[in-house]
């Protein structure tokens, strides 16, 4: 089966072709045209600028995805597109391109929730095979029930999945998403957009214990709060943590030019955010007893989070398997949308998917099958 996936919910125009053979999801092409440079000048994504760029790039990107995969439109079995949530001017470009192709090519079309795509990125067969070259088990060995920590620019949720495409949100952020907090902290510290990767990079600068920055930062004690850590539920809150960073910088305005100070704040912020995420995930797993723990969303590209959550699972829950998407499929991409499209089509009893029924929805909620 060959699936074309399309994603335009934010600032990435993406198209990819996936091949599913013997329960193995292989990416034949994954083309992403990023608008980061364009939006960086504005310190965030400007919806109408994003839409204009998507419009310019959508068909060249789809064309490249088919060409790279060496697949003709007639060979495509199924088309999937992100129908929400996201910026409506951006979503409309992808949805209308997908509807046009489905109509002209006479193919079934499915609308996919962006977060469902992030979750299903964990089922994509890795480019490199498992450790020691051993064959990867079916769908990378992910077993239900699943507990998934979703961390992106718009979402922070703990999602329990008893089976494919069934979602129970057991906890979520009460204010900012964790990616949003990373971005806002970067803005406070003048580190540019997007903030997550730069805060993460600055946090590592302190790791080199011989560096001048490390010795300097050792003299500065920065302690940020761990919001909701001891609350007896699985919800999160990151807006207070971001404000605590703002107050910290106001206490020492003269130090803002000191790289060691910036690095120390980034490290403490990253520690605070990841500690809360990990503690709540482990506690939720102890309560709900999943077989697999998954990480999903753009913040799953954060190396500290990937590593520390993995260590915590091995230590506290050794019987559970831990899965993270490859970095390429952690950030916004369309291979993940095509992967989710495969499962929706395969497991649904519905056999016809007319393009007329697909609509873009800015606030789409994660919907179970
Ligand atoms: O999933 P994503 O690409 O877009 C949304 O669906 O929102 O997530 C983007 C978010 C941004 O907030 C970005 O700063 C954050 O993911 N991010 C990171 C890292 N890479 C991206 N946050 C922390 N560390 C990273 N390495
Ligand atoms: Zn995303």
């Amino acid at each position: 089966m060959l699936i074309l996936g399309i994603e335009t919910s934010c600032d990435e125009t993406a198209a990819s072709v996936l091949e599913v053979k013997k329960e193995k999801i292989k990416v034949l092409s994954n083309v992403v045209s990023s608008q980061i440079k364009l939006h960086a000048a504005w310190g965030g994504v400007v919806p109408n600028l994003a839409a204009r760029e998507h419009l310019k790039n959508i068909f060249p990107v789809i064309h490249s995805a088919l060409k790279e995969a060496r697949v003709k439109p007639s060979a495509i079995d199924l088309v999937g597109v992100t129908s929400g949530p996201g910026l409506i001017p951006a979503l409309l470009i992808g949805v209308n391109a997908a509807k046009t192709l489905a109509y002209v090519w006479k193919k079934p079309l499915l609308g996919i929730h962006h977060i469902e795509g992030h979750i299903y990125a964990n089922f994509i067969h890795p480019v490199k095979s498992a450790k020691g070259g051993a064959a990867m088990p079916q769908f990378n060995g992910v077993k239900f029930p699943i507990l998934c920590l979703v961390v992106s620019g718009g979402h922070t949720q703990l999602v329990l999945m008893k089976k494919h495409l069934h979602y129970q949100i057991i906890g979520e952020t009460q204010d900012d998403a964790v990616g949003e907090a990373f971005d806002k902290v970067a803005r406070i510290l003048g580190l540019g957009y997007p903030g997550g990767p730069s805060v993460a990079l600055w946090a590592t600068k302190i790791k080199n214990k011989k560096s001048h920055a490390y010795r300097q930062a050792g003299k500065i004690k920065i302690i940020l709060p761990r919001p909701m850590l001891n609350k007896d539920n699985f919800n999160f809150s990151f807006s207070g943590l971001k404000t605590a960073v703002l107050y910290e910088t106001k206490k020492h305005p003269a130090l803002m030019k000191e790289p060691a100070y910036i690095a120390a704040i980034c490290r403490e912020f990253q520690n605070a955010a990841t500690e809360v995420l990990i503690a709540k995930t482990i506690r939720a797993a102890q309560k709900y007893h999943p077989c697999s723990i998954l990480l999903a969303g753009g913040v799953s590209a954060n190396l500290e989070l990937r590593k520390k959550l993995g260590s915590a699972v091995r230590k506290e829950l050794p019987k559970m398997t831990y899965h993270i998407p490859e970095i390429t499929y952690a950030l916004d991409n369309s291979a993940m949308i095509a992967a989710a499209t495969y499962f929706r089509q395969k497991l649904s009893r519905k056999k016809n998917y007319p393009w007329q029924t697909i609509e873009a929805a800015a606030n789409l909620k994660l919907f179970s099958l």
Side-chain angles (χ1 to χ4, degrees):
M1 171 175 267
L2 291 169
I3 305 158
L4 172 70
I6 297 170
E7 151 70 45
T8 64
S9 66
C10 191
D11 57 351
E12 246 98 49
T13 318
S16 52
V17 177
L18 230 70
E19 183 191 49
V20 188
K21 225 193 219 170
K22 292 187 189 147
E23 310 282 87
K24 193 160 133 185
I25 301 182
K26 201 171 142 202
V27 178
L28 301 186
S29 64
N30 184 38
V31 181
V32 182
S33 166
S34 172
Q35 306 172 5
I36 282 180
K37 281 194 189 137
L38 176 77
H39 299 290
W42 305 89
V45 181
V46 184
N48 283 343
L49 277 186
R52 210 191 294 164
E53 281 299 290
H54 285 311
L55 198 53
K56 198 168 80 192
N57 295 326
I58 187 74
F59 285 110
V61 164
I62 293 171
H63 179 75
S64 302
L66 291 168
K67 203 169 154 204
E68 234 178 74
R70 296 170 187 259
V71 162
K72 292 213 168 67
S74 57
I76 295 286
D77 297 294
L78 196 59
V79 183
V81 63
T82 307
S83 53
L87 306 168
I88 206 75
L91 284 167
L92 280 170
I93 308 297
V95 166
N96 281 300
K99 283 170 98 162
T100 307
L101 292 179
Y103 168 66
V104 175
W105 294 346
K106 300 188 175 58
K107 306 285 178 187
L109 173 66
L110 276 77
I112 298 294
H113 191 287
H114 182 78
I115 294 301
E116 179 165 283
H118 275 301
I119 295 172
Y120 277 89
N122 282 286
F123 289 77
I124 296 174
H125 201 78
V127 180
K128 284 182 248 138
S129 59
K131 276 182 209 135
M136 284 294 277
Q138 188 187 0
F139 298 133
N140 304 336
V142 176
K143 286 191 213 80
F144 289 88
I146 287 171
L147 176 68
C148 185
L149 174 63
V150 175
V151 279
S152 75
H155 293 74
T156 306
Q157 294 176 325
L158 273 165
V159 182
L160 189 65
M161 292 170 68
K162 295 209 169 111
K163 52 182 179 168
H164 272 299
L165 306 165
H166 277 75
Y167 308 104
Q168 184 191 348
I169 295 166
I170 58 167
E172 62 189 329
T173 183
Q174 305 297 290
D175 40 57
D176 291 356
V178 65
E180 193 180 349
F182 265 94
D183 293 336
K184 286 178 176 168
V185 165
R187 198 184 289 197
I188 293 168
L189 301 175
L191 304 181
Y193 164 87
S198 41
V199 169
L201 183 69
W202 274 88
T204 63
K205 290 196 179 179
I206 212 114
K207 278 232 174 100
N208 178 1
K209 296 196 175 177
K210 285 189 189 133
S211 75
H212 177 68
Y214 181 84
R215 289 197 301 272
Q216 289 300 307
K219 293 175 200 155
I220 308 163
K221 266 268 159 286
I222 299 163
I223 298 168
L224 296 173
R226 270 64 175 158
M228 314 271 285
L229 182 64
N230 298 317
K231 280 260 161 36
D232 195 19
N233 60 35
F234 303 117
N235 290 332
F236 303 95
S237 161
F238 291 101
S239 132
L241 178 56
K242 162 208 73 192
T243 311
V245 169
L246 182 67
Y247 287 154
E248 170 61 40
T249 60
K250 291 214 183 303
K251 268 197 285 181
H252 304 290
L255 286 177
M256 286 295 279
K257 287 196 200 79
E258 277 298 322
Y261 181 62
I262 302 294
I265 295 183
C266 289
R267 182 183 55 171
E268 172 63 2
F269 167 76
Q270 185 173 264
N271 281 345
T274 52
E275 265 174 52
V276 179
L277 291 169
I278 293 166
K280 296 236 165 181
T281 306
I282 298 292
R283 260 185 259 153
Q286 283 162 338
K287 175 167 178 188
Y288 291 97
H289 308 290
C291 288
S292 295
I293 296 185
L294 272 60
L295 188 58
V299 185
S300 74
N302 185 282
L303 298 180
E304 277 299 294
L305 180 59
R306 292 165 84 89
K307 209 168 64 191
K308 282 191 195 159
L309 181 56
S311 311
V313 172
R314 275 189 299 278
K315 186 165 166 246
E316 310 284 339
L317 313 155
K319 290 209 180 100
M320 297 179 194
T321 61
Y322 173 58
H323 306 266
I324 47 178
E326 291 210 341
I327 298 276
T328 323
Y329 309 126
L331 299 167
D332 282 353
N333 68 89
S334 49
M336 67 185 199
I337 300 302
T341 305
Y342 166 71
F343 284 101
R344 277 222 166 245
Q345 194 266 354
K346 183 179 174 227
L347 299 171
S348 163
R349 265 191 237 128
K350 205 169 117 185
K351 284 297 159 234
N352 116 26
Y353 293 95
W355 57 268
Q356 288 94 330
T357 57
I358 310 297
E359 296 293 343
N363 298 314
L364 190 67
K365 296 273 171 273
L366 200 52
F367 52 102
S368 297
L369 188 67

